[in-house]
């Protein structure tokens, strides 16, 4: 690394603490290539883009973003999301890409290079990546289970099973639905609460082992092996989404679903919680703070245009979310209309039974109640709105909007709502297998990036691990499987929800706050822009400087405050399944589970202060050692100080060099010309600076 002159701006310079790296982030390109000759590199730009897109586009784009649109005003939420994406998401994404590409290290090395006191940021990123990998692979295991069960006709979740003892429909299934029963009882065999752990689910344990095996084989050769898998795992989900969109547009209720999605409700912009949810979605959609973005960009050529990559990947990510939302709302519209029409048919059946036992009433509908297929939903609702007060209480309203408002998110959308719809398709096993193969590939492409966020920093900073890449990969996957057994017990779904809601959110926000602060105020935005200019050969717009220093930093601090306040004022809860009633219920976490949540957050955030304290103590030890060593050396050599020749060199005003005891003694050398000189022990100062910067 080449030295960079100090900042001219004294204000920016004042933020640089002791031990802070005074070096330029970038080095000469030819030198970087010589130093990193053994570092893996992407085979092509296509591989790199597919890897970044595959990591950022994950399961959240399919089931989290559509749910937030569904819940928060459709088109209005999308506009708010785009606004936050442009002023917060893209600048932070660009910052991580530029830092990784310039320093050519993983997350630990990047922030340690900027300042040794910030090395803990990288370790926190690794911890969060490990948390996410633990439960994310469980979702991949669920997808494997459902995909395996899709190769049979009829699908096992199409109908409720029959109780052999009573020769009647199983009560739990009759109280809920066939898809809910299959998910909660056949797939998870779930307990009634998190307090009831239950034994291990053997089938899911096997699926989890298969999932970790796939990840291990794909990652065993680093990016050289995972990049080849990306060609399929990243592109295939788009093919499936377009197929489902085309098929969905042919369904009855598709137009109603899309209308519901895009209809704006501008009043939601005044809700602080909606802003918090939109900012959180931007944050997680781009994968900020994980270290995976940094790891992937560190394998890029020095002069790669990372600014264009940031805009391109962010744009693809957003358009994927819109595409997935269209598919989801088309399917939910079809599902809601089917439920509403079944409701109409049921009510018309009740009216028919009333008509057969009594005379015609004044409120009798004008349409043919004996032929439900001939009655449209608006026609029935118009009649019901006029006579709801006089008809029997058994006759109910059948509202498509009400069914659409019953939004489902996360696993409920994928494993309950979608499976219910696919059971209605002709050739349902084909559509089911296609859908879960898409989920499998979405999960795997994100999983590869998450694992890269763990392995790359460790191999970059610990040479022993770098020399044993295969052993590190296999052992990491084996450890992930063993800890992941927590999620394959009967109560495992509750722990997945716990990790998803709490293990990553706060630690990642804290990590990104420190990342932004370190670049903007510790290293300095002007220096960072200079380094980017060296890489790109053109200077990015100055607006990034102010976005990094003020907008992004304040936005992330606000998001942290809002998340903390929500946790304080709203006790953490989870959704449990009640076997006796066949329905979901909301429960509060018990005390031990709350303690576990706090420990997860603390353990992931702790490396930041620990890294800072360790660096400070190390600096003090080094300064103490240098001062003692310097004291001994000064007993055996002469030190000279530079004086002004106008000073009188008498006994009262002689140029004196510092002694070991801090006293000043006369120089042993006479004046030479106009000035007196003293060598200042530059070697010791250089050595100390090298120790401080860790270079």
């Amino acid at each position: 690394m080449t030295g960079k002159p100090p900042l001219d701006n004294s204000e920016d310079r004042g933020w640089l603490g002791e031990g802070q790296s005074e070096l330029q982030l970038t080095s000469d390109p030819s030198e970087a290539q010589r130093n990193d000759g053994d570092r893996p590199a992407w085979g092509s730009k296509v591989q790199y883009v597919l890897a970044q897109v595959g990591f950022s586009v994950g399961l959240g784009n399919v089931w989290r973003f559509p749910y937030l649109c569904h819940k928060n005003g459709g088109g209005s939420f999308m506009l708010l999301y785009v606004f936050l994406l442009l002023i917060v998401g893209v600048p932070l994404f660009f910052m991580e890409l530029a830092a990784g590409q310039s320093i050519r290290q993983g997350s630990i090395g990047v922030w340690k290079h900027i300042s040794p006191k910030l090395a803990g940021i990288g370790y926190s990123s690794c911890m969060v990546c490990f948390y996410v990998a633990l439960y994310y692979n469980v979702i991949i295991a669920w997808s494997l289970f459902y995909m395996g069960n899709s190769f049979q006709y009829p699908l096992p979740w199409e109908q409720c099973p029959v109780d052999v003892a009573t020769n009647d429909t199983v009560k739990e299934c009759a109280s809920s639905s066939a898809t809910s029963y299959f998910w909660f009882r056949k797939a998870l065999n779930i307990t009634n609460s998190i307090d009831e752990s239950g034994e291990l689910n053997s089938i899911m344990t096997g699926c989890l082992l298969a999932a970790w095996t796939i990840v291990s084989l794909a990652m065993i050769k680093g990016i050289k092996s995972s990049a080849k898998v990306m060609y399929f795992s990243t592109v295939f989900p788009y093919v499936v989404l377009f197929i489902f969109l085309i098929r969905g547009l042919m369904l009855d209720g598709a137009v109603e679903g899309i209308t519901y999605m895009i209809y704006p409700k501008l009043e939601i912009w005044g809700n602080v919680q909606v802003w918090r949810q939109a900012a959180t979605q931007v944050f997680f959609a781009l994968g900020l703070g994980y270290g995976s973005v940094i790891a992937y960009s560190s394998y890029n050529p020095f002069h790669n245009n990372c600014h264009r990559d940031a805009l391109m990947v962010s744009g693809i990510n957003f358009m994927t979310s819109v595409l997935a939302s269209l598919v989801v709302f088309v399917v939910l519209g079809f599902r809601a209309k089917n439920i509403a029409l079944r409701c109409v048919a049921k009510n018309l059946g009740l009216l028919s039974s009333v008509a057969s036992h009594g005379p015609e009433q004044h409120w009798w509908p004008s349409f043919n109640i004996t032929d439900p297929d001939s009655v449209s939903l608006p026609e029935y609702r118009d009649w019901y709105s006029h006579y709801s007060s006089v008809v029997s209480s058994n006759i109910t309203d059948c509202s498509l909007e009400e069914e659409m408002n019953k939004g489902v998110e996360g696993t409920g959308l994928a494993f309950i709502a979608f499976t219910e719809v696919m059971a209605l398709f002709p050739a349902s096993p084909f559509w089911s297998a296609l859908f879960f193969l898409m989920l499998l590939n979405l999960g795997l492409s994100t999983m590869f990036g998450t694992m890269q966020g763990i392995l790359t920093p460790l191999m970059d900073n610990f040479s022993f691990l770098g020399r044993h890449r295969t052993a590190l990969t296999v052992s990491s996957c084996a450890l992930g499987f063993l800890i992941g057994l927590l999620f394959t017990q009967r109560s495992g779904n509750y722990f997945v929800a716990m990790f998803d809601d709490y293990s990553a959110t706060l630690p990642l926000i804290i990590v990104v706050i420190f990342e932004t602060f370190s670049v903007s105020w510790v290293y300095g935005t002007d220096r960072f822009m200079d380094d980017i200019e060296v890489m790109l050969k053109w200077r990015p717009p100055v607006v990034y400087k102010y976005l990094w220093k003020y907008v992004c930093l304040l936005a992330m601090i606000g998001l942290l405050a809002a998340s903390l306040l929500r946790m304080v004022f709203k006790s953490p809860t989870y959704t449990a399944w009640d076997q006796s009633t066949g329905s979901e219920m909301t429960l509060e976490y018990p005390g031990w589970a709350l303690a576990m949540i706090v420990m997860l957050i603390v353990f992931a955030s702790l490396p930041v202060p620990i890294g800072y304290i360790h660096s400070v103590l190390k600096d003090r030890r080094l300064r103490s050692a240098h001062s003692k060593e310097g004291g001994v050396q000064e007993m055996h050599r002469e030190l000279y100080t530079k004086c002004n020749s106008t000073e009188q060199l008498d006994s009262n005003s002689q140029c004196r060099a510092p002694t070991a005891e801090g006293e000043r003694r006369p120089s042993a050398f006479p004046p030479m010309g106009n000035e007196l000189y003293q060598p200042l022990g530059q070697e010791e100062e250089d050595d100390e600076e090298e120790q401080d910067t860790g270079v």
Side-chain angles (χ1 to χ4, degrees), residues 225-242:
S225 56
S226 62
K228 296 177 181 177
V229 182
M230 289 289 182
Y231 281 108
F232 180 78
S233 64
T234 302
V235 175
F236 180 75
Y238 289 95
V239 176
V240 176
L241 285 173
F242 277 109

Side-chain angles (χ1 to χ4, degrees), residues 250-485:
M250 302 176 185
L251 299 173
D252 187 22
V255 175
E256 289 87 345
I258 294 177
T259 303
Y260 189 91
M261 182 189 87
I262 63 177
Y263 185 77
K265 300 176 184 177
L266 299 179
E267 62 272 12
I268 62 101
W269 287 0
N271 189 335
V272 176
Q273 287 303 315
V274 175
W275 284 78
R276 182 189 65 81
Q277 291 176 345
T280 303
Q281 181 61 24
V282 168
F283 181 78
F284 284 105
L286 295 176
L288 301 173
Y290 286 90
S292 304
V293 172
I294 294 175
Y296 275 157
S297 64
S298 70
Y299 299 119
N300 269 333
F302 182 79
H303 290 300
N304 175 64
N305 192 338
C306 54
H307 182 259
R308 182 178 58 196
D309 295 341
L311 296 175
M312 178 170 57
V313 174
S314 300
I316 292 174
N317 188 292
F318 172 68
M319 295 308 298
T320 305
S321 298
V322 174
L323 174 62
S325 297
L326 286 172
V327 173
V328 167
F329 276 92
V330 161
V331 170
L332 290 181
F334 169 68
R335 174 176 176 263
K337 194 160 188 178
N338 266 273
I339 294 174
L341 291 175
R342 287 201 299 268
C343 171
V344 171
K346 175 187 174 183
N347 289 335
L348 293 182
L350 292 173
L351 286 173
S352 297
S353 64
V354 172
S356 62
H357 293 87
E360 183 174 327
Q361 304 292 329
H362 72 279
W363 45 264
W364 208 251
S366 59
F367 45 78
N368 184 6
I369 62 175
T370 60
D371 184 14
D373 293 337
S374 65
V375 181
S376 67
L377 186 60
E379 194 176 12
Y380 172 83
R381 295 204 66 203
D382 181 65
W383 168 81
Y384 184 83
S385 65
H386 286 88
Y387 300 105
S388 58
S389 59
V390 296
V391 299
S392 169
S393 59
N394 292 332
I395 309 299
T396 60
D397 188 16
C398 300
S399 171
L400 186 145
E401 289 78 13
E402 184 178 339
E403 293 299 329
M404 288 293 295
N405 283 331
K406 296 177 181 177
V408 287
E409 66 168 325
T411 54
L413 175 64
F415 298 106
I416 297 178
F418 257 83
T419 52
E420 181 180 332
V421 171
M422 286 181 295
L424 302 174
F425 286 0
S428 55
F430 167 77
W431 295 102
S432 179
L434 197 64
F435 175 74
F436 287 109
L437 184 59
M438 179 194 73
L439 286 189
L440 177 64
N441 282 275
L442 279 173
L444 284 175
S445 58
T446 301
M447 190 67 188
F448 295 153
T450 304
M451 291 299 294
Q452 205 69 53
I454 301 171
L455 300 177
T456 298
L458 294 178
M459 290 187 294
D460 285 343
N461 285 269
F462 302 99
S463 57
F464 173 78
L465 297 178
R467 291 193 299 269
H468 300 84
R469 180 193 304 270
T470 301
L472 175 63
T473 303
V474 173
S475 59
S476 299
C477 292
L479 180 62
F481 168 71
L482 292 176
I483 301 178
L485 295 177

Side-chain angles (χ1 to χ4, degrees), residues 97-108:
L97 288 179
Q101 182 173 308
S102 61
I103 301 177
R104 301 177 66 80
Q105 291 280 315
S107 57
I108 297 175

Side-chain angles (χ1 to χ4, degrees), residues 146-159:
Y146 266 82
M147 190 175 70
N149 279 278
S150 298
F151 296 99
Q152 49 185 308
Y153 186 82
L155 292 171
W157 52 81
E158 282 192 22
Q159 297 178 344

Side-chain angles (χ1 to χ4, degrees), residues 44-66:
S44 66
K45 183 62 177 285
V46 175
Q47 282 187 358
Y48 166 67
V49 173
L50 288 177
Q52 287 285 20
V53 170
F55 170 68
S56 63
V57 175
L59 297 173
N61 296 76
V62 174
W63 63 40
R64 181 66 180 167
F65 184 86

